[in-house]
Amino acid sequence: MESKNLNLYYDDFHALIDVSIPIYEKKITALIGPSGCGKSSYIRCLNRMNDLVPNAKVEGVVTLDGKNIYDKDVDVVDLRKRVGMVFQKPNPFPMSVYDNVAFGPRIHGIKDKKTLDEIVEDSLKKAALWDEVKDDLDKSGFDLSGGQQQRLCIARTIAVKPDVILMDEPTSALDPLSTQKIEDLMIELKKDFTVVVVTHNMQQASRVSDYTAFFLMGKVIEFDKTEKIFLAPSKKETEDYVSGRFG
């Protein structure tokens, strides 16, 4: 994926200003910056979630495999199948663990029980949750712990075989042990998926990501390999932020 001169407006508020960054395939890209700087607004542009916000207006280009996702002929349902989203707070559906994971494949026409069983097992294994729930697939997703619920939501996203997984602060509501499991999972996921993660935790960005974009007041101040952003940033604002002098 790539964004070029992406601008986002909420009524008169200019939330994103000429954001141009590449999203490299099967890499983890972290978006860092202080609260309200545009990170979450940006990833919501990558699967057109802002279409659901009244008075939101997007200008510029976001391409997926070279095709502008904002072209009029783009099927938004298909786009969101290819570009999945994991939210800040775990949001399992009010149904069983099995049905949570099978939900997307069923919507997309898969009805065969054996095929669904295979998808559910594979997705839960990829989300590092299978061993914990394989004997309790009929229990409600709400009965899982917070960290397990978040991994269930990741399994649900994986089940429709997306190209890109967007994660909006996926560990901010979790304890340190669950956070470590999700971070380990992200690193595993990039073998099969492209991952974009919004995080307030700079240590997390430095641990898991290959590339980092530093956002400030709606603009990308700097985008580079993560190691360079944290050890030898080019811009003073980036250095001040990653060294803790502000934010």
Side-chain angles (χ1 to χ4, degrees), residues 24-227:
Y24 292 110
E25 187 175 7
K26 293 185 180 173
K27 302 290 184 188
I28 300 175
T29 300
L31 313 180
I32 63 170
S35 294
C37 66
K39 306 182 299 294
S40 293
S41 290
Y42 178 73
I43 64 163
R44 291 172 68 89
C45 289
L46 298 182
N47 70 346
R48 291 184 53 171
M49 289 291 285
N50 286 313
D51 288 14
L52 306 172
V53 179
N55 305 318
K57 183 176 75 166
V58 175
E59 295 174 350
V61 173
V62 177
T63 56
L64 176 60
D65 292 337
K67 168 76 173 171
N68 183 11
I69 67 170
Y70 284 91
D71 283 348
K72 287 186 168 56
D73 62 344
V74 168
D75 182 333
V76 177
V77 174
D78 182 61
L79 171 68
R80 292 187 188 136
K81 177 175 179 275
R82 293 186 65 194
V83 185
M85 174 85 91
V86 176
F87 295 94
Q88 184 171 354
K89 288 184 179 168
N91 60 336
F93 297 149
M95 54 184 69
S96 70
V97 169
Y98 183 99
D99 288 336
N100 261 275
V101 183
F103 185 84
R106 282 177 174 145
I107 279 184
H108 292 287
I110 296 173
K111 301 286 187 263
D112 178 67
K113 177 77 165 59
K114 183 170 180 290
T115 304
L116 286 170
D117 287 351
E118 289 170 356
I119 291 171
V120 168
E121 181 174 344
D122 181 60
S123 301
L124 287 168
K125 281 179 175 174
K126 282 184 173 154
L129 189 58
W130 174 252
D131 289 342
E132 295 167 47
V133 301
K134 63 185 178 185
D135 298 322
D136 293 304
L137 295 176
D138 291 332
K139 84 174 183 180
S140 169
F142 291 141
D143 291 338
L144 302 179
S145 70
Q148 287 175 323
Q149 286 186 18
Q150 192 64 297
R151 281 180 283 146
L152 177 62
C153 293
I154 291 169
R156 191 176 69 201
T157 301
I158 291 169
V160 295
K161 296 183 168 52
D163 299 312
V164 182
I165 299 175
L166 310 174
M167 297 185 168
D168 192 359
E169 295 190 59
T171 63
S172 64
L174 303 181
D175 61 85
L177 192 60
S178 296
T179 295
Q180 185 179 351
K181 284 186 177 179
I182 298 285
E183 288 183 6
D184 292 343
L185 174 54
M186 281 189 230
I187 291 165
E188 279 297 305
L189 287 174
K190 76 172 180 177
K191 293 175 183 175
D192 299 301
F193 307 98
T194 300
V195 179
V196 184
V197 58
V198 170
T199 180
H200 272 112
N201 183 330
M202 284 188 286
Q203 288 77 22
Q204 181 175 86
S206 66
R207 283 192 297 264
V208 305
S209 69
D210 302 287
Y211 292 88
T212 296
F214 169 52
F215 280 72
L216 186 62
M217 297 178 70
K219 295 180 179 179
V220 171
I221 303 300
E222 190 166 351
F223 172 86
D224 214 318
K225 289 185 175 177
T226 295
E227 188 176 9

